[in-house]
């Protein structure tokens, strides 16, 4: 994509109607487009109130006008913003006028952010953080995304890369003077420095991944039929998502609901009642799916007879309000989904457990691509510590630097960029 010859525009605010509708224009014709619409020069980096005119002279709107000459802008190009009234007809009229101008066209999904990346205003890790920020639905997701979008991870990677470059310089110097007796061996402290950097990467690689925030902390409710799973499930997700009935085998398939509790993303899973006998064909399929879910859960709430659940399950004594309630000696929680007794404490305990497993608030978290690149860098550094040949050490350090370059986008592919920026909405 050639970002230097075309000027793009899009509505960058929410869907109309709204109080304000922001139209963003970026590219070499942004200033000309702004002047054509306003019929006057707009001072740079200062808000100006003015009218917008069509080619026929008709007034389209009265708007707040902003002009940002490049390259010190969000996209690295000349940039203009029109803060119009947010009615559909107003925005459509202004956009139609822009579309009629030579060299100006509607933007594609994520094209403003892609230009920011192409022009060096943000790197790839920051762009991925921004994409996550736009998709964030919980406080933990927002905090982790803003950390990456703000460059926390990128700053770390740049410092690691600089360290590798310094180590490579030591190796190059030793190679240049390897025929002299005083520099014939490995530079002093080189191996320790490489090993220390590798250890730092291990700490980052052991952190929870950002996908955990997107997927949510998975809580599976399990037990035999009529143990109160669906009723408790409905209480936890605060909706009548699952059908409850005294008839055994009512729940025949896996039911999932995503919710946020205290800013933490959860996926609660209601499963078919587990039993060995008496299940007809469809219920049997549901039971097999339930057993599969037990292996995927981050936490299992066992509502069945005490001691018969999976080894790592929480023993939950449900239906404490029922006349035939049977307490559990080692119950982690005793609850009544009907009266609400114990539900708050159960939710609070699940939140505390999830926070120990999910990325910490505001902590940069690696996605799958970033994790793979960082793993490549660490493997190269570990290999370097096991070498005695300066040439081989230098090659391993080069491989580590290349992995860092891939991580922040100094070397990447168009297909990967298309996939990333396709996650953005038009206007971002």
């Amino acid at each position: 994509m050639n970002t230097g010859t075309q000027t793009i525009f899009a509505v960058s605010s929410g869907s109309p109607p709204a109080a304000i509708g922001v139209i963003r224009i970026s590219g070499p014709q942004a200033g000309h487009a702004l002047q054509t619409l306003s019929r006057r020069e707009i001072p740079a980096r200062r808000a100006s109130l003015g009218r917008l005119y069509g080619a026929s002279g008709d007034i389209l709107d009265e708007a707040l006008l902003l002009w940002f000459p490049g390259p010190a802008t969000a996209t690295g190009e000349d940039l203009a913003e029109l803060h119009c009234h947010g009615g559909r007809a107003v925005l459509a009229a202004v956009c139609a006028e822009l579309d009629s101008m030579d060299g100006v066209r509607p933007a594609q999904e994520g094209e403003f952010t892609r230009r920011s990346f192409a022009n060096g205003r943000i790197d790839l890790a920051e762009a991925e953080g921004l994409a996550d920020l736009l998709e964030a639905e919980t406080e933990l997701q927002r905090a982790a995304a803003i950390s990456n979008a703000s460059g926390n991870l990128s700053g770390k990677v740049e410092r690691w890369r600089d360290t590798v470059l310094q180590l490579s310089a030591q190796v190059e110097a030793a190679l240049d003077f390897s025929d002299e007796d005083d520099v014939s061996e490995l530079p002093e402290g080189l191996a320790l420095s490489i090993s220390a950097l590798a250890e730092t990467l291990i700490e980052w690689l052991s952190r929870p991944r950002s996908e955990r925030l997107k997927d949510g902390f998975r809580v599976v409710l399990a037990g035999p039929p009529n143990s109160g799973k669906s009723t408790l499930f409905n209480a936890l997700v605060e909706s009548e998502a699952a059908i409850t009935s005294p008839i055994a085998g009512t729940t025949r398939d896996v039911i999932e609901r995503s919710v946020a509790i205290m800013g933490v993303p959860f996926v609660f899973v209601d499963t078919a009642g587990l039993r060995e006998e008496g299940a007809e064909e469809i219920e049997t399929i549901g039971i097999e799916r339930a057993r599969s879910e037990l292996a995927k859960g981050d936490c299992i709430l066992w509502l069945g007879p005490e001691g018969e659940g999976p080894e790592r399950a929480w023993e939950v004594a449900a239906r404490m309000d029922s006349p035939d309630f049977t307490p559990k000696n080692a119950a982690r929680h005793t609850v009544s989904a009907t009266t609400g007794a114990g539900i708050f404490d159960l939710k609070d305990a699940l939140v505390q457990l999830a926070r120990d497993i999910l990325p910490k608030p505001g902590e940069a978290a690696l996605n799958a691509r970033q994790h793979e690149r960082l793993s490549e860098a660490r493997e190269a550094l570990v290999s370097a510590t096991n070498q005695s040949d300066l040439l081989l050490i230098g090659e391993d350090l080069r491989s580590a630097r290349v992995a860092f370059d891939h991580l922040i986008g100094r070397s990447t592919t168009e297909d990967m960029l298309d996939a990333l920026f396709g996650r953005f909405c038009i206007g971002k």
Side-chain angles (χ1 to χ4, degrees), residues 279-289:
E280 42 87 8
E281 183 178 356
I282 295 178
E283 186 185 350
T284 300
I285 296 174
I287 292 174
E288 289 303 314
R289 292 180 178 177

Side-chain angles (χ1 to χ4, degrees), residues 44 89 116 162 194 199 331 348 356:
S116 299
D162 289 344
I194 297 175
E199 287 296 322
D348 185 64
D356 289 338

